[in-house]
Amino acid sequence: MSDSAAVAAAGERRWIAQALGRLRQEAARSADTHLLKLGFAGFPGIDFYFKDEAAHPTGSLKHRLARSLYLYALCNGRLRAGQPVVDASSGSTAISEAWFARLLGLEFTAVMPACTAPRKIADVEALGGRCELVQDPARVHERAAAHAAAGACHLDQFGLAERATDWRGNNNIAESILGQLAGEPHPEPAWIVCGVGTGGTSATIGRYLRYRGLGTRLCAAEPTGSAYVHGWRSRDRGAVCSRPTVIEGIGRPRVEPGFLFEIVDEVVEVDDAASIAAMAVLEQHLGRRYGGSSGTNLAACLELATRMRERDERGSIVSLLCDPGERYDGTLSDPDWLRRNGLDPAPAAAALRATIASGRWHPPESV
Ligand SMILES: *Cc1c(COP(=O)(O)O)cnc(C)c1O
C-alpha cells in the first residue's frame, strides 16, 4: 500500500470509530421503552403487556432497526465518511434512518411509494432527508438499488433486518421485555405477539426465546390474506398476498427475506376493520393513541387469550405498540378517509368490546 493510501485508510478507520462512538452515545442517552400492563374484565388470570415502542426518539420500533442497520453497515466497512445513504421505506424506517443520518452527518434518501402518508414524508424531510416518490410500489427496491450502484450505501432494511440485530442480547427488544417481566406474576409469557414487516422483530424475538430455552410461543399478527399468512402455512417463500391492506408496516405483498418461518409458532389473521377498531380500544385503555399495526397486535392478543381461557390457562401475553396514532390522522383515524376506502370499524369495535367483556371470541360479523 502506498503511503497516501495508508493515510487515507487510517482516516477512514478513525471516521468509523467516531461514527460508532456517536451511535453509542445516542444509545446511552436513550431510555428503555416502557412495558405497559393491562387487564381485561373477561380474562381473569391473564395479564397483557404492551411494549411502548412509540416512545423511541423517532416514534417507532424502527428506531432499533435503524440503529442496527447503521452499526452493521459501519462494522462491515460498507459505510464511509461522506457517503450518501439510501433505503426503500414506506415511512417509519425512513424517519428513523433520516434521524441517524443527521446524527452521523450523512445525506439520506428514502425511496417510497407515492401513496405514503403525507405526514411521514414531512417527518423525513424535517430531519433533513430527501424523499423520492415512486408511483409503482413494486419498484422501490429497484430505485434503491440504482442509488447503490451510483455509490450510495444501501441500508437495505428488507435484506438485512433479520441479521443486523444482535439476537443474543445487547438489550435487543426480546431481552428488554423479558428483563422487564422478571418480577411479574408470569415472567415467562405464554405468547409474544408481533406483526411482520421486514421480519426483523420476529426474528430477534424468536431466536432469543430459543436461545434462553423458554417455552414462550411467538405469534405473528398479520392483516388477513397477507403474503406471510399464505407463506407460513404453505412454507412457500414465493407466496404473495391475496388481499391488500391499509395497515402500514406489516402485511407485505410478498414474503421478505427476513421472515423466518421456523421460529414463528402461530399466525393470526386480523381484518383491517378490526385493527382500526382496536386502535380505539388501545386509546381507551392506555389513554394514548397508537397506530394500525398496534391495533392488529391487540386483536391477535385477544384471540389468543380466548383460546387460553377456553383451556382454563393462566399466564401472560406480551405484544408491541409499534408507532403513534398521530401518524394516521389523515388516514386510519379520519372517518371520511375510512368511508372513501369502504372501511367501517363499528361492527368490529362492538365485537372486540364483547370479547373483552366476556372472554369469549366474538368474530366481527357476529355482533
Ligand atoms: C416495521 C413495522 C412493523 C413490523 O416490524 P418488523 O420488524 O419490520 O417486522 C410493525 N409496525 C410498524 C408501524 C412498523 O413500522
Side-chain angles (χ1 to χ4, degrees):
M1 202 192 277
S2 70
D3 283 357
S4 62
V7 169
E12 200 56 63
R13 287 291 277 273
R14 248 193 326 275
W15 182 80
I16 291 174
Q18 273 165 12
L20 291 171
R22 285 196 188 178
L23 293 177
R24 256 194 303 277
Q25 289 166 339
E26 186 275 339
R29 288 192 300 268
S30 299
D32 208 346
T33 57
H34 312 296
L35 190 64
L36 307 173
K37 184 175 185 177
L38 277 184
F40 294 113
F43 299 97
I46 301 180
D47 299 326
F48 296 81
Y49 298 86
F50 290 91
K51 180 95 169 134
D52 187 3
E53 294 294 288
H56 285 292
T58 57
S60 83
L61 79 179
K62 292 304 192 310
H63 198 79
R64 295 180 191 270
L65 175 63
R67 188 192 282 137
S68 294
L69 289 170
Y70 278 98
L71 282 170
Y72 196 71
L74 286 164
C75 295
N76 280 286
R78 288 199 302 117
L79 177 54
R80 294 181 304 278
Q83 193 180 9
V85 177
V86 69
D87 210 351
S89 165
S90 69
S92 333
T93 305
I95 294 168
S96 301
E97 288 174 342
W99 194 84
F100 280 102
R102 193 180 63 177
L103 185 83
L104 299 176
L106 300 170
E107 243 173 64
F108 173 72
T109 301
V111 182
M112 31 172 78
C115 58
T116 304
R119 171 99 192 217
K120 288 187 179 175
I121 295 172
D123 285 347
V124 171
E125 288 173 345
L127 291 164
R130 208 171 64 81
C131 296
E132 191 172 302
L133 302 178
V134 179
Q135 285 305 328
D136 178 0
R139 308 194 70 155
V140 292
H141 296 287
E142 216 174 282
R143 283 301 308 151
H147 280 277
C153 171
H154 184 195
L155 291 173
D156 196 8
Q157 59 158 339
F158 286 105
L160 300 175
E162 155 275 306
R163 73 193 67 167
T165 296
D166 298 340
W167 53 271
R168 294 183 195 82
N170 206 359
N171 201 37
N172 69 43
I173 190 165
E175 184 177 45
S176 170
I177 288 170
L178 289 160
Q180 288 174 320
L181 281 175
E184 297 298 305
H186 304 286
E188 183 173 331
W191 289 100
I192 296 182
V193 178
C194 69
V196 187
T198 64
T201 305
S202 54
T204 301
I205 295 171
R207 286 169 174 155
Y208 190 78
L209 292 174
R210 279 164 183 73
Y211 180 61
R212 286 277 306 270
L214 302 176
T216 304
R217 283 172 295 168
L218 176 61
C219 172
E222 277 287 293
T224 303
S226 87
Y228 294 133
V229 170
H230 299 301
W232 182 79
R233 288 188 185 143
S234 60
R235 293 297 194 267
D236 174 12
R237 298 208 71 89
V240 294
C241 69
S242 56
R243 227 200 254 188
T245 178
V246 297
I247 307 301
E248 288 182 33
I250 59 174
R252 302 289 302 164
R254 62 175 209 194
V255 177
E256 302 294 346
F259 181 58
L260 310 180
F261 293 151
E262 295 75 17
I263 55 179
V264 171
D265 299 291
E266 175 69 289
V267 174
V268 167
E269 286 178 281
V270 180
D271 282 350
D272 285 0
S275 295
I276 296 162
M279 290 166 72
V281 176
L282 283 172
E283 183 181 2
Q284 184 195 339
H285 286 265
L286 293 169
R288 268 196 210 176
R289 298 169 60 213
Y290 295 94
S293 66
S294 307
T296 312
N297 285 343
L298 172 65
C301 287
L302 290 170
E303 185 167 339
L304 294 172
T306 59
R307 294 188 205 166
M308 286 174 68
R309 226 199 94 151
E310 266 171 28
R311 292 191 297 264
D312 229 9
E313 282 172 30
R314 275 149 209 281
S316 55
I317 301 179
V318 181
S319 193
L320 314 179
L321 302 164
C322 305
D323 67 355
E326 288 72 17
R327 286 189 180 170
Y328 304 93
D329 277 348
T331 57
L332 303 182
S333 311
D334 176 356
D336 288 332
W337 187 92
L338 291 176
R339 245 191 316 278
R340 283 202 301 281
N341 285 274
L343 288 159
D344 176 14
L352 284 173
R353 277 197 296 274
T355 299
I356 285 170
S358 68
R360 279 177 295 109
W361 183 243
H362 288 69
E365 60 276 14
S366 71
V367 178

